[in-house]
Amino acid sequence: MSGGVEGRVGIVLVSHSAEVAGSVADLARGLAGGAGTPLAPAGGLPGGGLGTSTELIAAAAASVDGGAGVAVLADLGSAVLTVKALLADDELPDGTRLVDAPFVEGAVAAVVTAAAGGDLDAVEAAASEAYGYRKK
Amino acid sequence: MGRAGVHPGAAVGAVSAVVLDTDAFRRWMAAAAAAVEREAGHLTELDAAIGDADHGANLRRGFTAVAAELEKGAADSPGAVLTLAGRQLISTVGGASGPLYGTLLRRTGKALGDAGEVGPGQLAEALGAGVAAVGQLGGAKVGDKTMLDALEPAVAALARAADGPGAYAAAAEAAARGAAETVPMRARKGRASYLGERSEGHQDPGATSAALLLAALAEAAGEADQGEGRRG
């Protein structure tokens, strides 16, 4: 572990856009009341602009790693592929997992579950279950 | 220095396959960087038709970083050259082609191990592992209008022609043909898949850049001039 809160699952939100990642993090924290949950956005390219950055993702994961695992949610396309490539090369903290979940709803569910002290399996399950929230 | 580092294999004479050493692999990556630089506008144009018009710029950024890193001289085997190049691509491209090409080169590099010289057969086997990893990462298969449509036939051609000269040229030709064959296909992966049938009639940018990568290999192996016309 490097950053994060000991024993707590960390959450990383990876988007093509810094604004999207940051805003979804604010939204999830606001709705979930998870003020103390280790949560970090990794959006866009380091110099600004749309894209996915291994540097920002790796830094975000390290900053929320409390030794209990890190759940990574990604928006689409290269964000997903980049996280998978980093995991395949062991470039993220031990216990980091890409979670298959809708980005906004999954982030809220993940933060709620992590804030309640859920473990990585519970956080992943809650985020994935968000696919089932029908709107019509 | 011309052909230094590229020499016929053990079987003497005109029928032997070309074996590539570390310098040849460095030249491959340098030739790929030059090709991407030269074709960046064309790649972006293709990507503007069915994607988000960033393929040329993204790959140019990636391969420029690869060339700069290799100039520092750290990689000391063919496998190490590809592994280092792959790592640079994953971390600098910023689009989906970064992790895809990065994975291709890294897996291929790892499969080559620490061999000091690599012939077409061994490279075909290693590239096969790299291509399989790309398929797994992106969940695509041949016919989905992706880079795999150029890469898979190239690996097959390299393996088929492995015992004689012209193997790399055969792989480059197969890749170019595979890229051309993506024109009528409907995209099933990536952003272009949102277009459905409107993706038909356009050559896939990823398959096109994959063909450039294989052409750069033939160039580095000194087989760039052994194209179809010569052998037909």
Side-chain angles (χ1 to χ4, degrees):
Chain A
M1 61 176 270
S2 41
V5 179
E6 188 164 0
R8 295 286 286 278
V9 174
I11 296 166
V12 173
L13 303 178
V14 181
S15 169
H16 281 60
S17 151
E19 288 82 359
V20 169
S23 296
V24 172
D26 290 345
L27 176 68
R29 220 189 270 288
L31 292 181
T37 304
L39 169 65
L45 297 173
L50 301 180
T52 316
S53 158
T54 52
E55 197 184 313
L56 293 180
I57 296 169
S63 77
V64 300
D65 176 25
V70 176
V72 181
L73 283 81
D75 59 0
L76 49 94
S78 67
V80 176
L81 293 177
T82 302
V83 173
K84 283 187 182 176
L86 286 173
L87 287 171
D89 283 332
D90 285 330
E91 304 223 351
L92 296 176
D94 283 349
T96 300
R97 228 182 256 180
L98 174 65
V99 168
D100 182 18
F103 196 62
V104 177
E105 292 86 341
V108 175
V111 173
V112 168
T113 308
D119 64 12
L120 184 57
D121 284 340
V123 170
E124 177 174 29
S128 293
E129 278 164 18
Y131 273 129
Y133 304 162
R134 307 317 311 176
K135 293 165 192 175
K136 195 158 183 265
Chain B
M1 107 183 212
R3 294 282 181 270
V6 179
H7 59 80
V12 182
V15 293
S16 58
V18 172
V19 174
L20 306 177
D21 66 5
T22 305
D23 275 347
F25 274 75
R26 287 171 172 275
R27 284 202 306 279
W28 176 14
M29 292 298 107
V36 165
E37 180 71 41
R38 195 175 62 236
E39 298 290 325
H42 181 224
L43 293 175
T44 289
E45 212 171 283
L46 292 174
D47 196 26
I50 59 173
D52 48 4
D54 63 0
H55 193 52
N58 282 349
L59 279 189
R60 183 162 55 185
R61 179 165 59 240
F63 275 98
T64 300
V66 167
E69 193 63 27
L70 285 172
E71 271 175 26
K72 294 182 192 163
D76 56 1
S77 69
V81 168
L82 297 188
T83 307
L84 185 142
R87 189 188 164 83
Q88 283 297 111
L89 291 179
I90 294 175
S91 59
T92 56
V93 168
S97 51
L100 291 168
Y101 275 114
T103 295
L104 173 70
L105 296 184
R106 285 194 65 131
R107 288 304 167 87
T108 302
K110 282 183 186 172
L112 290 176
D114 53 9
E117 295 189 328
V118 176
Q122 193 181 357
L123 184 55
E125 203 172 303
L127 265 177
V131 172
V134 169
Q136 203 178 7
L137 180 64
K141 53 188 188 317
V142 167
D144 286 346
K145 200 181 183 94
T146 70
M147 57 198 281
L148 293 180
D149 291 309
L151 293 173
E152 291 220 355
V155 171
L158 188 60
R160 251 194 328 269
D163 295 332
Y168 307 100
E173 276 169 32
R177 216 164 28 239
E181 284 169 4
T182 63
V183 173
M185 291 178 185
R186 182 180 300 193
R188 295 188 200 286
K189 286 287 162 188
R191 192 184 179 287
S193 64
Y194 299 153
L195 296 176
E197 65 183 24
R198 281 178 294 139
S199 65
E200 295 168 14
H202 301 279
Q203 183 163 319
D204 180 60
T208 307
S209 55
L212 291 180
L213 184 66
L214 271 297
L217 170 63
E219 189 183 326
E223 294 184 350
D225 52 353
Q226 297 176 21
E228 217 161 65
R230 281 284 204 88
R231 296 160 354 121

